Amino acid sequence: MADIRLEKITKRWGDVVAVDDLDLTIEDGSFTCLLGPSGCGKTTTLRMVAGLEEPTAGRIYIGDKLIHCSERGISVGPHQRGVGLIFQSYALWPHMTVYQNIAFGLEMEKMNKATIETRVREAASWMQLEEYLHRYPSELSGGQQQRVALARSLAPQPDCLLMDEPLSNLDAKLRLDMRTELKRIHAMTNMTILYVTHDQLEAISMATVVAVMKDGRLQQLEDPLKLYKHPNNLFVANFVGSPPINVLHGNIFAEQGIWRVRTSDMVFSLQRNPEDDVQIKDGQNVVLAVRSEDIVLDDPSASFAMTIYSSLPTGSDTFVRLTRGDLAMMAKLYESDSLPVDSQVSVGFRPERVLLFDEDTGQRISLGSSLVGFTEATAS
Amino acid sequence: MRTTTEQSNQGKVPLLLERTWNRGRRVVANPPMLLSILLLGVFVYLIIVPLISLVHSSVTLHSRDTLRVLGGKVGELTNFYFQRVFASNISEVLFYQPLLNTLLISFSMSALAISIGCILAWVVVRTDIPFKKLFASAAVVPFILPSWTISLAWMTIFKNRTVGGSAGILEYFGVQLPDWISYGPVPIIICMALHYYPFTYLLVGSALRDFDTRLEEAALVLGAKQSIIFRRVILAVVAPAILSSFILTISRGIGSFSTPVFLGNPINYRVLSTRMYASLQTGSPGDAYVIAIVMILLAILLMFLSNKVLGKRKSFVTITGKAPKPQLFKLKKLRIPVTIAVGLFLFCVIVVPLFVLAADTFMRVPGVYSLDNFTLHYWIGESTPGLVDGRPGILRNPSTWAALWNSVKLGISASALCGFFGILIGYTVVRMRGTRISTVLDQLSFIPYLIPSIAFGAIYLSLFAVRRGPIPSLYGSFLLLILATMAKNFPFAAKAGSSAMMQLGHEVEEAGIIAGAGWFTRMRRLILPLQRSGLLSAVMLPFISAMRELSMVVILTTPGTQLLTTLTFQYSDYGFLHMSNAVVLLLVVIIVIMQFILQKITGSDLSEGLGG
Ligand SMILES: Nc1ncnc2c1ncn2[C@@H]1O[C@H](COP(=O)(O)OP(=O)(O)OP(=O)(O)O)[C@@H](O)[C@H]1O
Ligand SMILES: [Mg+2]
C-alpha cells in the first residue's frame, strides 16, 4: 500500500499562502496529475510530500505511515518516505557520469557493487541509456538527460514517484514520446505517481486521476475524461480544454421544468438534465458554457443565427469564430473546410452538453442540459 | 484503518510537549541550522566582540593615564579620551586638523581619480584609439600594485633635502623643489589618485560598454546637438557609475594609510589614519581608539549615503536587451595625439615608478646617479659596515626571507580559512534564505568591508592586546595576524561563496537528500566538487590582498611577525629607501604573478576584486 493522503495541509510563507487547507488522497497505483495555473501551489504540494518543505499545518500519510503531522511536530526525513522525485531541472549531478548518477542512491542504501551494477543496468535499459552510461550529463541531449533523471529515480525502486513538470524543457515531439514512455513505466511498475503539470492536455492524456488546483485549493479531483465533460466550477471549465470554453452571461428563470436563460438579446430554453439536482432562484446570474466541439452548425432543430467572422482550417478540423452582436464563440468542426466570411449560419448545441454555472460562486448548476428552444429577446 | 482523529483524544499539554520535542530534535539535527549557529558564534567572536571591545577600550582608563585623571584607576569608565580628542587644548593637533586633512585629501583625491578614470574609460571604450587591449589591461595595473609603490617612486624622484637624507633625482639634476611638491597634501593627493583611479575606470568603463547606443542615436535623430547628447544622455546614464566609484574611492581615501605616512609624516602632515598610528606608537591607545571609531563612523556614513543615492538610481546602469555594438567616436586628427597621451600617462604611472624604484636600488650612494655608483649591494651584497647599518642585500638578508615566508604563510592560512568559511557562509546563507538568521549572517559578514583597514587593525589590537576572560592575549602572535586578515576578508569570501551556491541551486543537494545521502556525504560528494571555481576566488582574492596589506597589519605585527609589507615600511622608516624599494619590487613581482594566475584560472576580471 502506498497511497498518499494529505489532510488539511496548509503551507504559508509569511503572508503568502501557497497551499490552503488541502485534502487530497492519491490512490495506490494511480497516476495522479496535479494540474493548475502557475503559482497555484503544485510544486509546493509535491515538495511537502517529498519532505523537502515542511507544511505549516496538517498531516500527510504514505500508506499507513504518518510521515508528517504539524500538530505533533512529526516529520519523517525525505529518504525514509520511500519516494522518488524528478525535478523540473532534472538536477543531475554534473560532475558524475550517467552511471554514477544512477548508482548514487543505491550506494547510499549500502548495496554491494554487484547489485548496484545490475540495478543500474536494468534502469538504464528501461530508459534506453545503455550506450551513455559513461558520459557526463553535459554530453547528453535534453531528452537523454530527462531519461537519466528518470532512471536515477527508478533505480532504488521507490513506492511512489513524484514528478515536477518533468517534460517542460523538452520540445513538442520529445514531449509526446516521453508521455508514452511514462505511461508505459506506470503500467509496468504500478507505482503510485504524482505528476505536476500546468499543461491540461498532458494531464488529461496521461493521468488516471486529475487534481485541479487554484490558489492553493483543490478545485476538483476527477477522472480526466469526466473532468473535461463535467467541470465542477467555472475555473475548471475554463482551465481545462483548448480552445477555452465558450461562455454566455445571463439570468435564469424556471418555467414548467424548462430553464430559460436570458442574455442581452436572446433567450435560451434548456431541458434540464435529469441528474441535476439543484435549486435555482429566478433571475439568478448564471454563466452558460459550451465547449467548441459541442457547437453544431447548420443545425435544423433548436438553433439561432450567427455570422461567420472567420474560419481557420487546421488540416484535420476547423475552428470557426462566430459572432452575433457583442457575443463571440469559437466552434470546432470535425472536417476541414473554409467557410465564407460574413455568411449566416444557424447554430445549435449538442444535446446534454450545455453547462450552467452560478456566476457569483462559479459553482456548477447543470451537468449538461439540452437546448430545446430559442427566441430573440424582446425588450421588456 | 488509520484514524485521522487519533490526536484529538490526547490532552493539549502532552501534544504541545510532543510537538516541541519533535521539532526541537529536528532543528538540532538540521545541518544548516547548526552551521548558522556556529557561524554566528564565529562572527560574534571575530567581528562583534572586537567592535565592542574597541568602544569599551575607548572609554576605559589605561594604566598609563591613571595619573592624568584625578583619582583614576585602571579599567575605570572614563570620558577622558573622548574629551582629549574632541575638546581639549590638543584636540586641534590630535583630531581636527587631521580630520580636515583627511577630508581635503579624500575629496580632492577622489575628484582627481574620477576625472582620470572617466577620461580613460571613455577613450578606451568609446573612441577608435588603437592598442585598446593593451591600454585596457594596463589601466588597472596601478591598483594591483601595493598602494605605496607610487609614493615611494614619488619620493625617489621629488624628494628635497628639507628633512635631511639624500636628495631625489630631480634635485640631483639641479632642480630646486619647494616642499609642497616633495611632501604633504599635493603629492599625497596625486599619488593616491593614481592608485585609486582604476575603480572609476572599471565601473564607468563597464557602464559605457553596456550603455545602449540606441539612446544616443535616438537623441541624434531627434536633432540634439552633440553637447546636449553628452550632457543629457551619456552623462545621465553613466552618472550612477561615477557616483558609486566616487563613494568607493572616497571611503578608501578616508582609511588610507601608506601614502600619507610616506609623504606626509616627514613634514608632520597628519591625516586620521597616520594620527591614529602615531597615537598607538606614542602609547596613547585610548586616543587611537577614539579616532578609529570616528573613521568607522565616517565610512558607515558614506556607505549609508551611497545606498540612499544609488538605491534609487541603480536601474540606469542595467539597461537590458541586445544593444548594438557602440559606434566608436572618431578621433580623426586627434587620434595620434590622444594615443600618445594615453600611452604616456600609463607609462608614467606604471613603468616609470617601477623603473625609478629599480634604478634606485642599484645606486650605492643614494641620489648620485652615475655609472660608477652602480652596485648590486642592496640586492645581493654581503654585510658592509657603514652601508645601511651593515645589513646585507635583501636577497641575502634572512629578515627578507623570514618576512617573505611570513607573508606567504599568512596569505595561505588566512585565505584557506577564508575559502573554508566562504563556502560555509555561502552555503548557510543560501540554504537558510528567508529566515532572519540568514539575513543576520549575510549582514555580519559584510561589516568588515565598512571598516577602514587600519581601524580594523586597531579593533583587533584593542581586543587582543591583553587577556580578557576567555579571550587570550594574542598580541605578537602570528595567529592574531591570521585572524585579522581572515576576518577582514570575510566579505569577499562570503560573496564568492554565496554566489557560487546561488548558481548551484538547491536541487542538486535535494536530489541527494532524496537519494538518502547524509549531510557530510552531500557536502563531500555533491556540493564541494561543484564549488571549485567559487572556492578558488574565495581563496585567491584574500591571498593577494593579504600579500599587499599594510595598514591593518602595521599595528599588529611585532619584530617576530614581520611581513614583506611591514618590512618595506620599516626600512623606509629607518631611511633605507633602497632596501624599501627593493622589497617593494619583490612584492610587486609576487603579486603580479599571483594576479596573473588568478585571472588565468578563474577567467575573472579585476572588477570582482575591487575590494581587495
Ligand atoms: N520559498 C518560498 N518563499 C515564499 N513564497 C514561496 C516560496 N516558494 C513558493 N512560494 C509562493 O508560493 C506560491 C506557490 O508556489 P509553487 O511553486 O508551489 O507554484 P507552482 O504551482 O508550482 O507554479 P509553477 O507552475 O509556476 O511552477 C507562489 O505564489 C510562490 O510565489
Ligand atoms: Mg512549480
Side-chain angles (χ1 to χ4, degrees):
Chain A
M1 270 284 272
D3 60 338
I4 304 171
R5 273 202 307 158
L6 285 76
E7 290 179 356
K8 303 209 172 312
I9 288 292
T10 298
K11 176 69 189 179
R12 257 184 247 115
W13 277 286
D15 292 339
V16 184
V17 183
V19 174
D20 191 4
D21 203 23
L22 179 70
D23 277 305
L24 175 64
T25 303
I26 293 145
E27 298 291 344
D28 183 31
S30 74
F31 192 132
T32 302
C33 266
L34 212 49
L35 176 66
S38 184
C40 72
K42 307 179 296 287
T43 299
T44 308
T45 307
L46 195 81
R47 288 170 58 83
M48 288 191 293
V49 173
L52 296 174
E53 211 80 73
E54 192 168 317
T56 316
R59 289 177 294 278
I60 304 177
Y61 296 88
I62 293 185
D64 287 335
K65 206 161 122 196
L66 177 65
I67 55 165
H68 178 87
C69 174
S70 299
E71 256 186 322
R72 292 162 61 190
I74 293 172
S75 185
V76 171
H79 182 56
Q80 279 86 33
R81 299 185 179 198
V83 297
L85 175 60
I86 295 179
F87 295 88
Q88 186 173 358
S89 66
Y90 313 151
L92 298 179
W93 298 302
H95 59 299
M96 296 186 187
T97 61
V98 170
Y99 185 98
Q100 289 166 329
N101 263 285
I102 301 176
F104 187 82
L106 307 174
E107 282 174 46
M108 292 304 123
E109 294 186 4
K110 309 254 175 336
M111 293 184 185
N112 63 40
K113 272 235 164 74
T115 324
I116 291 179
E117 168 113 30
T118 342
R119 287 271 203 107
V120 170
R121 296 209 176 274
E122 188 187 39
S125 79
W126 276 4
M127 303 276 63
Q128 294 127 43
L129 286 167
E130 293 104 324
E131 322 160 38
Y132 306 115
L133 282 176
H134 294 287
R135 292 214 196 159
Y136 286 93
S138 58
E139 300 164 336
L140 300 175
S141 72
Q144 290 161 344
Q145 291 182 9
Q146 169 65 72
R147 294 213 297 271
V148 176
L150 261 169
R152 185 175 72 178
S153 318
L154 292 174
Q157 299 174 350
D159 303 328
C160 312
L161 189 58
L162 314 175
M163 295 187 244
D164 189 2
E165 312 207 16
L167 308 185
S168 61
N169 294 338
L170 302 181
D171 63 41
K173 187 185 169 309
L174 263 176
R175 208 176 303 164
L176 204 61
D177 288 349
M178 284 308 292
R179 278 184 205 158
T180 59
E181 205 81 42
L182 285 174
K183 238 183 151 156
R184 261 188 70 81
I185 290 176
H186 179 237
M188 273 159 50
T189 59
N190 225 0
M191 268 186 303
T192 309
I193 292 183
L194 178 56
Y195 185 101
V196 162
T197 180
H198 62 248
D199 179 343
Q200 42 101 14
L201 186 65
E202 196 163 283
I204 290 184
S205 61
M206 293 207 293
T208 58
V209 185
V210 177
V212 183
M213 283 180 77
K214 179 199 173 199
D215 297 339
R217 289 171 163 273
L218 183 64
Q219 304 293 309
Q220 190 165 2
L221 182 68
E222 194 78 78
D223 172 286
L225 298 179
K226 278 204 189 132
L227 183 78
Y228 186 76
K229 237 170 119 183
H230 301 306
N232 261 351
N233 58 35
L234 206 48
F235 170 78
V236 178
N238 256 319
F239 190 74
V240 178
S242 163
I245 202 163
N246 296 296
V247 291
L248 293 146
H249 298 267
N251 302 88
I252 194 165
F253 301 91
E255 270 173 39
Q256 302 137 11
I258 296 283
W259 278 338
R260 297 198 196 285
V261 176
R262 180 196 295 267
T263 68
S264 58
D265 67 339
M266 294 185 277
V267 178
F268 296 92
S269 304
L270 301 172
Q271 176 71 57
R272 52 190 290 187
N273 191 311
E275 288 173 44
D276 289 341
D277 178 28
V278 278
Q279 294 294 316
I280 54 147
K281 280 184 303 222
D282 269 0
Q284 188 179 348
N285 291 332
V286 294
V287 174
L288 189 153
V290 189
R291 297 235 178 253
S292 48
E293 62 269 26
D294 294 334
I295 295 178
V296 205
L297 297 194
D298 298 324
D299 187 34
S301 60
S303 64
F304 50 100
M306 289 189 86
T307 309
I308 293 179
Y309 189 77
S310 66
S311 70
L312 309 166
T314 65
S316 60
D317 36 39
T318 312
F319 290 104
V320 186
R321 191 167 182 80
L322 304 159
T323 56
R324 178 190 168 112
D326 54 2
L327 171 71
M329 291 201 284
M330 186 71 95
K332 183 181 183 186
L333 309 181
Y334 287 101
E335 67 251 24
S336 200
D337 204 356
S338 198
L339 300 169
V341 168
D342 276 348
S343 57
Q344 297 275 318
V345 283
S346 58
V347 177
F349 302 140
R350 287 169 64 190
E352 302 199 341
R353 291 299 170 87
V354 181
L355 303 169
L356 277 177
F357 298 95
D358 182 323
E359 182 164 8
D360 304 321
T361 64
Q363 291 305 311
R364 184 182 61 207
I365 296 173
S366 168
L367 272 175
S369 313
S370 310
L371 184 66
V372 290
F374 162 79
T375 48
E376 309 241 344
T378 47
S380 51
Chain B
M1 276 303 291
R2 304 162 297 230
T3 53
T4 52
T5 48
E6 58 192 347
Q7 291 82 19
S8 55
N9 301 334
Q10 298 177 344
K12 286 252 168 321
V13 172
L15 200 64
L16 186 72
L17 271 180
E18 184 184 2
R19 179 167 63 216
T20 316
W21 167 247
N22 283 331
R23 285 217 180 128
R25 254 189 348 190
R26 243 173 311 131
V27 167
V28 172
N30 180 13
M33 191 67 193
L34 286 182
L35 271 179
S36 328
I37 294 168
L38 197 86
L39 288 174
L40 205 61
V42 171
F43 282 159
V44 166
Y45 182 69
L46 290 180
I47 296 167
I48 300 298
V49 172
L51 266 175
I52 294 173
S53 141
L54 176 73
V55 176
H56 181 253
S57 301
S58 70
V59 293
T60 43
L61 207 57
H62 299 254
S63 57
R64 218 191 86 133
D65 301 312
T66 41
L67 293 179
R68 303 202 199 171
V69 181
L70 214 57
K73 287 197 204 76
V74 176
E76 225 174 34
L77 276 189
T78 175
N79 64 358
F80 174 66
Y81 301 110
F82 274 87
Q83 202 170 30
R84 191 157 67 177
V85 170
F86 294 130
S88 75
N89 50 3
I90 55 165
S91 300
E92 182 69 24
V93 187
L94 203 54
F95 179 67
Y96 292 108
Q97 197 56 51
L99 177 68
L100 281 182
N101 292 345
T102 302
L103 294 178
L104 171 79
I105 281 180
S106 310
F107 274 93
S108 345
M109 170 287 269
S110 304
L112 185 58
I114 280 162
S115 317
I116 297 174
C118 284
I119 294 171
L120 215 55
W122 186 75
V123 170
V124 171
V125 175
R126 298 302 297 273
T127 70
D128 60 347
I129 195 172
F131 312 120
K132 271 194 179 189
K133 266 219 160 105
L134 175 72
F135 287 157
S137 39
V140 295
V141 169
F143 183 67
I144 300 171
L145 303 180
S147 63
W148 62 98
T149 319
I150 292 176
S151 348
L152 279 182
W154 184 282
M155 292 224 297
T156 312
I157 300 173
F158 293 103
K159 214 160 71 134
N160 67 16
R161 287 177 210 260
T162 307
V163 288
S166 58
I169 295 176
L170 284 183
E171 278 218 346
Y172 173 74
F173 289 110
V175 186
Q176 281 297 316
L177 290 170
D179 273 0
W180 63 266
I181 288 189
S182 306
Y183 302 105
V186 172
I188 294 178
I189 289 167
I190 294 173
C191 290
M192 274 165 73
L194 292 182
H195 178 65
Y196 285 120
Y197 81 82
F199 279 152
T200 313
Y201 168 79
L202 287 169
L203 287 172
V204 172
S206 73
L208 281 176
R209 206 165 289 123
D210 299 342
F211 169 59
D212 191 342
T213 33
R214 280 173 296 192
L215 292 183
E216 203 175 327
E217 281 155 14
L220 205 62
V221 171
L222 289 175
K225 273 199 292 234
Q226 279 285 350
S227 61
I228 295 184
I229 293 178
F230 183 77
R231 242 198 12 249
R232 301 279 298 275
V233 181
I234 301 189
L235 213 58
V237 171
V238 173
I242 295 181
L243 203 63
S244 63
S245 52
F246 182 69
I247 285 164
L248 209 58
T249 314
I250 208 168
S251 56
R252 287 318 187 80
I254 285 175
S256 174
F257 170 74
S258 46
T259 304
V261 97
F262 284 121
L263 293 170
N265 272 13
I267 59 162
N268 265 324
Y269 182 85
R270 307 277 183 184
V271 293
L272 285 179
S273 57
T274 52
R275 184 61 250 172
M276 185 189 117
Y277 181 71
S279 290
L280 283 175
Q281 294 298 300
T282 53
S284 310
D287 303 347
Y289 297 149
V290 174
I291 296 174
I293 291 173
V294 173
M295 288 171 71
I296 293 170
L297 290 180
L298 271 178
I300 291 174
L301 181 73
L302 277 172
M303 193 54 68
F304 181 74
L305 282 182
S306 89
N307 283 347
K308 262 255 137 81
V309 180
L310 289 176
K312 286 187 229 114
R313 308 194 52 178
K314 230 174 208 158
S315 52
F316 273 132
V317 204
T318 51
I319 295 168
T320 50
K322 273 261 183 310
K325 224 178 159 46
Q327 270 244 308
L328 295 182
F329 183 86
K330 300 230 165 24
L331 289 170
K332 295 185 192 133
K333 263 191 237 154
L334 287 175
R335 191 157 178 252
I336 292 169
V338 169
T339 310
I340 293 176
V342 171
L344 208 62
F345 170 78
L346 291 174
F347 184 78
C348 286
V349 297
I350 301 165
V351 182
V352 169
L354 291 179
F355 179 79
V356 165
L357 291 187
D360 198 49
T361 60
F362 295 118
M363 298 298 133
R364 174 174 293 266
V365 181
V368 180
Y369 297 92
S370 63
L371 214 53
D372 52 353
N373 192 28
F374 180 89
T375 177
L376 286 176
H377 175 83
Y378 299 111
W379 286 96
I380 52 171
E382 306 230 12
S383 168
T384 315
L387 267 185
V388 286
D389 287 352
R391 287 181 172 77
I394 65 157
L395 294 182
R396 218 179 245 280
N397 196 328
S399 59
T400 313
W401 296 113
L404 175 62
W405 174 230
N406 277 343
S407 278
V408 170
K409 216 163 54 172
L410 176 64
I412 289 176
S413 42
S415 63
L417 282 168
C418 263
F420 175 75
F421 279 110
I423 295 286
L424 283 190
I425 296 167
Y427 175 83
T428 314
V429 166
V430 172
R431 278 293 171 273
M432 300 289 288
R433 213 143 68 118
T435 63
R436 182 156 307 170
I437 199 161
S438 158
T439 321
V440 168
L441 282 179
D442 200 31
Q443 285 167 352
L444 280 183
S445 71
F446 184 69
I447 289 182
Y449 186 79
L450 294 176
I451 303 175
S453 300
I454 192 156
F456 204 78
I459 291 175
Y460 267 65
L461 189 67
S462 78
L463 179 64
F464 292 109
V466 290
R467 188 192 156 88
R468 284 163 203 269
I471 300 168
S473 158
L474 293 176
Y475 184 63
S477 74
F478 201 70
L479 184 62
L480 178 60
L481 291 181
I482 296 177
L483 285 181
T485 308
M486 175 181 88
K488 181 70 184 136
N489 281 294
F490 266 164
F492 314 112
K495 206 179 125 221
S498 52
S499 69
M501 268 317 287
M502 287 287 232
Q503 254 179 7
L504 195 59
H506 51 89
E507 296 191 342
V508 160
E509 187 184 3
E510 284 171 351
I513 297 182
I514 297 279
W519 186 76
F520 280 103
T521 316
R522 291 194 314 262
M523 278 313 249
R524 189 171 54 82
R525 292 196 46 191
L526 305 181
I527 294 182
L528 288 182
L530 294 172
Q531 294 272 20
R532 283 208 195 113
S533 74
L535 189 67
L536 203 75
S537 52
V539 165
M540 285 297 264
L541 284 175
F543 186 86
I544 293 174
S545 101
M547 289 297 286
R548 66 165 183 219
E549 174 69 62
L550 171 65
S551 45
M552 178 176 75
V553 290
V554 75
I555 50 183
L556 296 177
T557 45
T558 50
T561 56
Q562 198 77 267
L563 304 171
L564 271 190
T565 50
T566 54
L567 191 66
T568 53
F569 178 65
Q570 204 177 47
Y571 281 149
S572 96
D573 220 23
Y574 294 153
F576 304 149
L577 222 46
H578 311 75
M579 303 284 279
S580 181
N581 291 350
V583 178
V584 167
L585 286 175
L586 192 65
L587 201 56
V588 166
V589 170
I590 296 171
I591 288 171
V592 167
I593 292 173
M594 298 303 306
Q595 187 76 37
F596 182 76
I597 295 174
L598 175 68
Q599 246 150 307
K600 271 274 130 44
I601 301 179
T602 61
S604 67
D605 68 282
L606 196 92
S607 47
E608 284 173 43
L610 269 185

